[in-house]
Structure formats: structure tokens, C-alpha cells
Amino acid sequence: MSQTNVSRVKEKPTKRRWFVLFLVCIITFINYLDRANISVAAPFISSDMGFDAAKMGLIFSAMSWSYTCMQIPCGWFLERLGPRVVYGIALFGWSAFTGAMSLTYNFASMIACRLGLGIFEAPAFPANSRIVTAWFPSRERGLAIGAYTGAEYVGLALCTPILTWLLVTFGWKSIFVATGLIGIIFTFFWLICYNDPGKSKGVNQAEIDLIKEGGGLSDTIAEKNKVNWKQVKYLFTSRQLWGMYIGGFCNTAILFFFMTWFPSYLVAEKHMTMLKMGIYGALPYMAAIAGVLFAGRWSDWMISKEYGIGISRKLPVIIGLLLSAVIMAANYTNDITIVIIFMCIAFFGQGMASTISWALLSEIMPKQLVGLCGSVFNFVSNMGGALSPAIVGYLIAATGSYASALVFVSAMGGLGAFSYIFIIGKPKRIVIPD
């Protein structure tokens, strides 16, 4: 054995992938903080500008419409330019539109800023999926996806009380100024610190080998990739993917209830004060964090015990979606403690489903179209985010209460579970012929 080979055998893998995951978690934290901050400000915005529930529903959903429409174009940009450049442009752009929300003065200007926010936030989760698939072996991928998915809820859980304090102390516009500045500053850290495995500083060959041998795609995903559009048909003809698309649609519809209407539900339906809402409203987000972390570790544990991809990746999602359906039980009590318990159970389940959905997708997506496949999945999933706030707003305006809205959210949990059980079938990597 040569001296070079002996050195390589003895070489310990570096841990650069965990620093990359830290960057992804921070950027995802900012992403969800900027898309959900309006939910805290909503009662004051509707009061100041005279918006009813139907108009607020349209404002909530505007971000999701542009976000959804940009998913597939952003997948193309990811394949061509790579996540470093695309994510840097996106983070700066959505942070600028977040700050611009403080300058809005009517319905049209607010809709315009939310549309701009959605356009620039669109690459986020396809980029996350591409980064984790490139940097992590399969046995660590559930934990990695759980970590950045949990970061979504950390922003909402920890910052809801802080944003509420800003709202009460300085007015609702201060929320958008503060959150916009955070993202603009972090853009520069991202561009300096991130690169793909083959070009990244601080990673050795032993770590790249560890990723590759564990099922990571560090050798397949290059910084730039030419898209063969004849291959794209596989993204729309696969039964596995359509099962995931439907499940993702339902899960995102549940998420967007919590990201948009939940604080207003506590204030308007359960008659909480704003400061009390800031405290109680953070609890379901904390439950979601627990759901994300629990599902990620449980799924990876099942992978390590060789239970198979089907059980290891599907079972946590199915259980999570069924738990989300518990939200409807809040219609049958006015005890705020019991209401919050039901909300915590529902959001715990939603968190479980969110993290492992992306882990399952990483196991079955075609190697040639990782970025684009993530974009298509996010496109269909976020149709749920686009429709859910508007549907909830319509139901509230039509009935005068949130009861029917909770029934709708509960039904999404049931439909999503059905899709994962009966449509996906046995998951396996989709192979596109050369």
C-alpha cells in the first residue's frame, strides 16, 4: 500500500457538513420569520387599514401565489447556478421586500410587497434539499432535514413574544424593519461561507468519501448542471411523486393556518390580549420543533435498524398528519388551556410530517434532477399554502367564526395521510435512463 493510501486510510473525516447545516438552519430561521411576521401584526394592520377577514386572507395568501409560481423556474436556476449564488440573491431580495412592508399604506401596496417576498423566497427549500442531499449520507439526512425544518419553527416560537413586544411598543411597522435587516446582514455571511462539497474549504477527501459511500450525492451534484427537458416528464408521471405532491399540499395547508390565522384566532375567537397571545401563541410552535426533532431522530433510527425506507420515512409522516387532524377538537371547548393543548398536538404532528417529507423525497428523487424535483414538490405543496389562508378567510367571513376553518384544516390532515398510505406505495429511487 502506498504512503498516500495509508495516509488516506488514517485520515479522519472533517465535519464541514455540520457547519453547512448550521448555515442552512440560520437562513431557514430567517426565511420563516419573514414570511410569518405578518401574522403577529395582522390584528393591528386590519384595524389601522380597515381590512376585513376576506381581505386579510388575500394578503396572507399573496406571498404563496408568487412563491408557488416561481418554484419550477427557481429549480432551473438552481441546476444552472447552484445554491450559493441563488440563495444569496434570494435572501437579499426577500429581506428587502420584508423591510419594504413598513412603507405600505394600502391594500395594493401590501399585496405588492407580499408578492415580491414570495418571488425571492421561492428557491429556499429546493436549495435546502439540494444542499442536504449533496452534503449528507442517508443515515444522517433525516436529522439534517429535521434540523433545518425545526429552524422554521424556532423563529416563530422564540420570536413571537419578541415581535409582539415590538408591535405593542413601537407599532406594527417596526416588526418588518427589524426582520428585514437581519436577513440583509446574513446575506454576506452566506456568500462568504458556503460552497458545494468539491469546492468548499475545510472539507477533506475522507468526509467526501463518507458522504458518497453513505448515499449522499456529493459526486453527482455539481455546481452547475445542464437540464435535459426530456427527463422532466418523470417528475409528472411518477405515482410516488404524485403521492408526495398531494401529501405535501395538505401538510402545507395546515402549516399556513398556523403561520397566518393562528394569532388572529386566539385574539378574535378566544378573546386573548395581544401580550397574552404572544406567550400562549408560542407554545404550538415549540411543540412543532419537538415534532420535527422527534421525527428526524426516530426516522434515522429506523433506517439504522434496517426497517426499510417505506416504514422509516413514511410512518412518521402518516402519524404526524393524523395528529394534525386533532385540531378540530378545539371547536368543542372554550377552555384556553385545552385549546392550546389541541393546537400543540396538531402542530407537533405537522412538524413530524414536514421534516420527513423532505427526507423521503431525497430518497426517491432522480439524481439528475435533484434541484428541479425539489422545486416541483415545493410548487404543488405550496399550492396548499396559497389556497389555505384565502379559504380560511372566506370561511370566517361567511360564517362569522373559525369553526369551519378548523374543520378544513383537520380534513387536510386526513387527506394527506390517505395519500401517503395508499398512493405512494413502496418508495424507491426514480431512475431516468441515460
Side-chain angles (χ1 to χ4, degrees):
M1 184 179 290
S2 69
Q3 186 66 35
T4 302
N5 289 335
V6 170
S7 300
R8 184 165 292 176
V9 169
K10 293 181 179 179
E11 188 178 34
K12 291 184 178 180
T14 49
K15 299 183 183 297
R16 183 70 178 183
R17 63 194 183 281
W18 299 108
F19 175 72
V20 168
L21 179 60
F22 171 75
L23 293 177
V24 171
C25 287
I26 295 295
I27 207 169
T28 305
F29 169 97
I30 296 169
N31 180 285
Y32 266 72
L33 185 62
D34 287 353
R35 68 171 73 181
N37 50 17
I38 193 172
S39 67
V40 177
F44 276 40
I45 292 173
S46 60
S47 176
D48 284 358
M49 298 193 178
F51 298 154
D52 61 13
K55 277 192 173 181
M56 286 305 302
L58 292 174
I59 291 171
F60 286 149
S61 65
M63 172 261 165
S64 292
W65 284 111
S66 56
Y67 180 91
T68 301
C69 290
M70 286 299 295
Q71 285 303 302
I72 295 176
C74 283
W76 183 86
F77 283 119
L78 275 169
E79 300 293 356
R80 298 294 296 170
L81 302 176
R84 180 178 177 270
V85 173
V86 173
Y87 229 154
I89 294 171
L91 175 57
F92 187 89
W94 88 58
S95 299
F97 272 102
T98 297
M101 284 287 291
S102 64
L103 305 176
T104 56
Y105 55 91
N106 60 13
F107 180 76
S109 61
M110 195 159 285
I111 288 287
C113 281
R114 293 290 289 178
L115 289 172
L117 178 70
I119 289 170
F120 282 97
E121 285 208 351
F125 272 77
N128 287 355
S129 179
R130 192 177 192 272
I131 291 165
V132 168
T133 304
W135 273 97
F136 283 86
S138 181
R139 68 177 181 272
E140 296 175 348
R141 207 171 294 152
L143 177 61
I145 294 173
Y148 77 66
T149 306
E152 305 170 13
Y153 307 102
V154 170
L156 304 177
L158 299 184
C159 293
T160 294
I162 297 172
L163 295 180
T164 304
W165 175 79
L166 283 173
L167 172 69
V168 173
T169 307
F170 300 106
W172 63 266
K173 294 187 177 184
S174 65
I175 289 177
F176 299 104
V177 173
T179 51
L181 283 174
I182 291 171
I184 289 173
I185 292 169
F186 192 75
T187 301
F188 300 100
F189 286 95
W190 172 260
L191 292 173
I192 292 169
C193 296
Y194 179 78
N195 223 320
D196 278 355
K199 298 181 179 181
S200 180
K201 295 179 180 179
V203 59
N204 63 7
Q205 187 60 43
E207 184 174 13
I208 291 177
D209 290 343
L210 181 150
I211 296 167
K212 178 181 176 182
E213 291 165 7
L217 304 182
S218 60
D219 61 333
T220 303
I221 300 178
E223 182 70 19
K224 297 181 181 180
N225 185 34
K226 185 176 181 180
V227 178
N228 181 347
W229 290 104
K230 292 182 180 179
Q231 301 171 339
V232 174
K233 68 178 182 180
Y234 287 87
L235 303 183
F236 297 96
T237 58
S238 167
R239 174 174 171 169
Q240 288 187 99
L241 289 177
W242 272 108
M244 293 205 63
Y245 296 158
I246 295 169
F249 177 97
C250 296
N251 192 47
T252 306
I254 298 167
L255 171 63
F256 268 71
F257 169 79
F258 282 98
M259 286 179 52
T260 55
W261 283 107
F262 177 58
S264 297
Y265 165 77
L266 294 180
V267 172
E269 188 82 357
K270 300 305 176 184
H271 310 295
M272 279 191 177
T273 63
M274 285 302 299
L275 288 176
K276 193 174 182 181
M277 180 277 293
I279 297 171
Y280 276 87
L283 296 178
Y285 299 128
M286 293 178 182
I289 296 169
V292 165
L293 298 178
F294 169 73
R297 292 304 297 264
W298 182 31
S299 179
D300 281 352
W301 176 83
M302 287 191 285
I303 288 285
S304 70
K305 297 298 181 181
E306 299 182 351
Y307 281 93
I309 297 297
I311 293 177
S312 303
R313 299 307 195 202
K314 285 176 62 177
L315 185 59
V317 179
I318 293 166
I319 292 175
L321 288 166
L322 292 175
L323 287 175
S324 294
V326 171
I327 194 172
M328 188 172 65
N331 284 336
Y332 302 99
T333 180
N334 288 319
D335 187 315
I336 194 59
T337 301
I338 297 176
V339 168
I340 294 297
I341 289 172
F342 286 139
M343 294 293 166
C344 287
I345 293 171
F347 215 11
F348 177 89
Q350 194 280 327
M352 286 183 65
S354 288
T355 181
I356 306 304
S357 294
W358 282 99
L360 177 58
L361 183 67
S362 73
E363 304 285 0
I364 68 175
M365 59 173 52
K367 292 182 179 181
Q368 301 96 321
L369 297 171
V370 171
L372 193 59
C373 184
S375 292
V376 174
F377 174 68
N378 224 24
F379 170 81
V380 181
S381 296
N382 279 279
M383 288 297 294
L387 292 171
S388 177
I391 291 172
V392 170
Y394 171 79
L395 291 172
I396 295 168
T399 64
S401 77
Y402 284 75
S404 57
L406 296 192
V407 172
F408 164 74
V409 175
S410 182
M412 289 293 99
L415 177 59
F418 175 90
S419 179
Y420 269 83
I421 294 169
F422 296 107
I423 299 179
I424 292 177
K426 184 178 180 179
K428 57 183 178 180
R429 178 78 65 186
I430 298 167
V431 178
I432 300 178
D434 292 333

